[in-house]
């Protein structure tokens, strides 16, 4: 493929660096407050409109937020654009509702505890004013419907006021002894029902003052989350991914060795479309780490592996997609192999660009941008925390080297983002000629100024045999702000608004929102 074609494959035109600003935070901790394990956020996802945001935590809860600054003007986002309101102004979300999605379980057949932790959340198509989403823990996927329902209240509870005395009790002329009086007498068997004495006489035509409670629908509404379907017993290993298909009818779920295809309407049956389990488990060399459907083509999906490769498969080829349509992997540099090479090469997350032309992948040290039409190597590589390379031994000892960082792309495809340690996240420009590489901190001091990290001079994307290395100026063991590096605080989960330059990211139990 010639150089001109490769340049054309990248998003067009360098964009100026964005100036990021803090927007808001949910679940901010007070000084000295300890974070409960169950409150740590484990999944973040915007819906397609960007007007709703969902988070899941290790306690199995799903919390929903809704955009409210677009409602201030009394219209939708499309209305705002038509009325020339500034879309780049301060975006504002508010808490909407929450519900318990998963509970801890125990598999007695395998003597295995199943955590309630939410691994992934994916929004489905909204319909009739209701929101739909999928959530999953290690073993079970659930399909939820969240809808506003009008509150029903009971009215006309008492008897006719003209025939009552005191606090609404019936006058003695109608009933000689009340059930309450009977209970006050001890409710003895020999006196049971004694209140229905001969003194009680039904008037002709019935008791006119007796009224039944009437249930009426008020104008008040409450949000109700209802589990519509449960997709269970289809995975022997931990589910690491779920992804909706563009057809709106199907979705996939992936574990270490298999990918299953589901129909949203059918919960008791799935089709195994990828199976990498060898006949002898001793021959196992790689596992599936992430999977995602193509955003536009319902027959295409991609999955990544622990060996650092991405496979693009076409569901039209065969029922079981043992062979891939394309394989994306970077050739290993000669003489660079070490004990940690395979560990840090494992891809923890992949995302398709909105146009479906590019795939973003995150391994332990880098972000890589791939063009689906060019399988000879990534079109760009971004160094996330290269200064940690001398500390790989320490990271291995404390298991941090196995942390799974997520990645995301902007809706316009001009930028990519991912997290790091010390609650840092990094934003890179991925257009030809862009030198944008910004480091921000999601912390209890959200107004801390951002750091524009120096980077190497940019180069054309025409030569994919070389990589773009935009290493930060941080020294080993010190973050971008000169603070001691902290492996215990990590920003694993983040999501980019589908239509705006707005990022939601999670640091422990806090959800931070930034915009540019």
């Amino acid at each position: 493929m010639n150089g001109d074609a490769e340049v054309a494959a990248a998003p067009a035109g360098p964009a100026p660096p964005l100036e990021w600003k803090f927007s808001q935070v949910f679940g901010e901790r007070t000084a000295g407050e300890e974070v409960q394990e169950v409150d740590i956020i484990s999944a973040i996802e915007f819906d397609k409109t960007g007007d709703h945001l969902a988070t899941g935590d290790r306690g199995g809860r799903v919390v929903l937020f809704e955009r409210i600054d677009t409602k201030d003007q009394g219209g939708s986002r499309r209305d705002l654009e038509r009325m020339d309101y500034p879309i780049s102004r301060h975006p504002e979300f508010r808490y909407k509702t929450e519900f318990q999605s998963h509970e801890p379980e125990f598999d007695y057949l395998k003597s295995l505890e199943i955590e309630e932790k939410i691994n992934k959340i994916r929004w489905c198509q909204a319909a009739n004013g209701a929101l739909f989403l999928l959530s999953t823990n290690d073993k079970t996927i659930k399909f939820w419907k969240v809808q506003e329902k009008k509150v029903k209240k009971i009215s006309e509870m008492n008897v006719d006021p003209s025939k009552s005395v005191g606090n609404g009790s019936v006058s003695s002329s109608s009933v000689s002894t009340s059930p309450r009086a009977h209970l006050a007498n001890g409710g003895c068997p020999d006196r049971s029902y004694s209140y229905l004495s001969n003194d009680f006489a039904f008037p002709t035509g019935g008791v006119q003052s007796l009224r039944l409670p009437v249930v009426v629908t008020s104008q008040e509404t409450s949000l109700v989350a209802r589990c519509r379907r449960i997709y269970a017993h289809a995975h022997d290993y931990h589910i690491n991914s779920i992804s909706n298909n563009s057809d709106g009818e199907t979705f996939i779920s992936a574990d270490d060795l298999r990918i299953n295809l589901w129909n949203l309407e059918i919960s008791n049956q799935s089709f195994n479309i990828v199976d990498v389990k060898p006949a002898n488990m001793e021959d196992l060399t790689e596992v599936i780490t992430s999977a995602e459907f193509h955003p536009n083509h319902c027959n295409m999906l991609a999955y990544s592996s622990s060996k650092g490769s991405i496979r693009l498969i076409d569901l039209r080829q065969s029922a079981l997609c043992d062979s891939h349509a394309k394989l994306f992997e970077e050739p290993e540099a000669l003489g660079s192999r070490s004990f940690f090479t395979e560990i840090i090469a494992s891809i923890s997350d992949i995302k398709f660009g909105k146009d479906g032309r590019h795939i973003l992948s995150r391994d332990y040290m880098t972000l890589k941008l791939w063009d689906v039409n060019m399988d000879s190597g990534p079109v760009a590589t971004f160094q996330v925390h290269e200064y940690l390379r001398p500390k790989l031994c320490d990271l291995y000892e404390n298991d941090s080297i196995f942390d799974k960082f997520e990645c995301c792309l902007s809706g316009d495809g001009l930028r990519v983002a991912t997290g790091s340690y010390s609650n840092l996240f990094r934003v890179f420009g991925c257009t030809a000629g862009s030198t944008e590489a910004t480091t921000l901190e999601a912390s209890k001091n959200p107004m801390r100024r951002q750091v524009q990290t120096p980077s190497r001079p940019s180069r054309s994307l025409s030569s994919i045999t070389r990589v773009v290395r935009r290493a930060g100026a941080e020294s080993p063991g010190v973050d971008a702000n000169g603070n001691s590096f902290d492996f215990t605080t990590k920003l694993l989960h983040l999501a980019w608004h589908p239509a705006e330059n707005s990022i939601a990211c999670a640091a422990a139990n806090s959800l931070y929102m930034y915009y540019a």
Side-chain angles (χ1 to χ4, degrees):
M1 188 174 287
N2 59 40
D4 292 337
E6 291 168 4
V7 172
L18 295 177
E19 182 183 352
W20 289 92
K21 300 175 184 177
F22 169 76
S23 174
Q24 57 190 141
V25 58
F26 296 95
E28 190 174 21
R29 303 188 304 278
T30 58
E33 180 185 353
E34 289 190 11
V35 179
Q36 300 296 318
E37 181 78 11
V38 293
D39 294 330
I40 295 177
I41 297 174
S42 56
I44 302 178
E45 184 79 2
F46 279 104
D47 70 349
K48 285 187 176 181
T49 66
D51 290 336
H52 293 93
L53 175 68
T55 65
D57 62 26
R58 294 187 182 180
R61 295 183 297 265
V62 172
V63 182
L64 304 185
F65 302 88
E66 65 177 348
R67 183 84 178 262
I68 58 173
D69 59 297
T70 57
K71 297 180 180 179
D72 295 340
Q73 307 296 337
S76 65
R77 174 156 304 281
R78 188 173 300 171
D79 295 333
L80 291 176
E81 291 172 353
R82 190 166 55 245
M83 297 165 68
D84 295 328
Y85 285 103
I87 298 302
S88 60
R89 65 201 174 106
H90 189 308
E92 187 176 355
F93 283 78
R94 72 177 174 191
Y95 169 86
K96 186 177 180 73
T97 189
E98 68 180 81
F99 56 90
Q100 189 70 32
S101 175
H102 288 74
E103 302 279 358
E105 301 175 47
F106 189 81
D107 187 335
Y108 292 96
L109 292 177
K110 298 181 180 179
S111 296
L112 182 69
E113 289 186 6
I114 303 173
E115 292 183 350
E116 65 272 35
K117 171 191 168 189
I118 304 297
N119 290 342
K120 294 288 181 183
I121 296 174
R122 291 292 180 264
W123 290 90
C124 302
Q125 292 179 352
N128 299 325
L131 302 174
F132 296 89
L133 50 87
L134 291 166
S135 63
T136 184
N137 65 351
D138 286 339
K139 296 292 183 181
T140 305
I141 307 161
K142 294 185 179 181
F143 183 50
W144 291 91
K145 178 182 181 180
V146 182
Q147 189 176 29
E148 282 192 351
K149 290 195 172 182
K150 290 188 175 181
V151 177
K152 292 184 177 180
K153 292 185 176 181
I154 296 177
S155 66
E156 300 184 14
M157 187 69 179
N158 297 325
V159 296
D160 189 344
S162 63
K163 302 282 184 74
S164 63
V165 295
N167 61 356
S169 59
V170 182
S171 62
S172 57
S173 61
S174 300
V175 180
S176 62
T177 308
S178 67
R180 185 172 299 214
H182 161 66
L183 294 175
N185 291 332
C188 297
D190 57 332
R191 286 182 290 172
S192 124
Y193 307 110
S194 61
Y195 59 95
L196 291 176
S197 62
N198 293 331
D199 296 336
F200 188 92
F202 286 95
T204 306
V207 181
Q208 299 297 323
S209 61
L210 184 62
R211 296 187 179 185
L212 293 174
V214 178
V215 179
V216 297
T217 302
S218 69
Q219 295 302 313
E220 296 180 29
T221 59
S222 66
L223 279 165
V224 178
R226 186 163 65 93
C227 184
R228 295 286 303 274
R229 287 176 193 85
I230 298 177
Y231 313 90
H233 312 300
H235 287 277
D236 292 329
Y237 305 94
H238 291 176
I239 298 172
N240 56 51
S241 303
I242 51 176
S243 179
N244 302 92
N245 198 348
S246 58
D247 62 10
E249 298 178 357
T250 56
F251 70 94
I252 54 170
S253 58
D255 64 21
D256 292 341
L257 298 179
R258 293 187 176 96
I259 299 177
N260 293 333
L261 177 67
W262 301 82
N263 188 301
L264 282 168
E265 302 294 327
I266 303 171
S267 60
N268 60 356
Q269 184 181 35
S270 65
F271 297 95
N272 178 223
I273 56 175
V274 174
D275 189 348
V276 299
K277 184 178 181 179
N280 184 354
M281 285 296 284
E282 292 182 358
D283 298 330
L284 182 67
T285 59
E286 63 181 332
V287 295
I288 298 169
T289 57
S290 182
E292 184 167 280
F293 259 118
H294 191 283
N296 305 319
H297 301 312
C298 61
N299 58 290
M300 304 292 290
L301 64 95
Y303 69 91
S304 59
S305 81
S306 57
K307 276 195 168 182
S309 61
I310 302 172
R311 290 173 173 84
L312 189 69
I313 63 175
D314 190 339
L315 298 178
R316 298 172 297 186
Q317 288 183 344
S318 62
L320 185 62
C321 301
D322 289 326
S323 60
H324 50 265
K326 285 190 177 182
L327 174 66
F328 305 94
E329 60 183 356
E330 190 171 24
E332 186 177 320
L334 296 176
S336 64
R337 189 167 184 80
S338 71
F339 172 77
F340 304 109
T341 299
E342 283 196 11
I343 300 176
I344 64 175
S346 177
I347 295 175
S348 56
D349 189 28
I350 60 171
K351 292 287 194 323
F352 272 101
K354 196 173 183 180
D355 60 357
R357 180 70 183 271
H358 294 85
I359 299 175
L360 182 67
S361 67
R362 170 69 202 265
D363 56 44
Y364 188 71
M365 299 296 289
T366 65
L367 274 174
K368 291 185 174 73
L369 187 68
W370 309 79
D371 189 317
V372 296
N373 294 332
M374 299 160 56
D375 54 7
S376 52
V379 294
T381 298
F382 309 95
Q383 302 294 345
V384 179
H385 39 218
E386 183 63 20
Y387 50 86
L388 289 183
R389 198 170 290 276
K391 295 184 171 292
L392 290 179
C393 254
D394 297 335
L395 293 162
Y396 179 77
E397 289 294 328
N398 62 24
D399 287 341
S400 293
I401 201 170
F402 301 106
D403 287 333
K404 293 176 171 56
F405 291 94
E406 294 180 358
C407 59
C408 58
L409 298 93
S410 60
D412 55 17
L414 302 180
R415 293 172 182 85
V416 296
T418 191
S420 182
Y421 294 100
S422 296
N423 289 340
L424 300 177
F425 67 97
R426 308 204 63 193
V427 180
F428 300 94
C430 57
T431 56
S434 174
T435 59
E436 182 175 1
T438 306
T439 301
L440 299 103
E441 180 182 7
S443 71
K444 57 188 177 184
N445 182 12
M447 303 312 292
R448 182 173 296 178
R449 300 181 66 179
Q450 64 180 5
V451 178
Q452 180 66 33
T453 309
S455 60
R456 280 183 53 172
S458 62
R459 60 121 174 118
S460 169
L461 294 177
S462 60
S463 174
I464 62 171
T465 57
R466 293 155 50 205
V467 296
V468 178
R469 300 196 178 275
R470 294 176 183 145
E474 304 92 344
S475 58
V478 179
D479 66 19
N481 299 299
N483 301 318
S484 299
F485 208 83
D486 186 3
F487 295 129
T488 62
T489 57
K490 58 196 76 171
L491 199 149
L492 300 176
H493 311 285
L494 76 171
W496 201 303
H497 190 285
E500 299 178 9
N501 288 320
S502 176
I503 292 178
C505 52
N509 68 326
S510 300
L511 176 67
Y512 292 91
M513 311 286 291
Y514 285 82
Y515 74 105

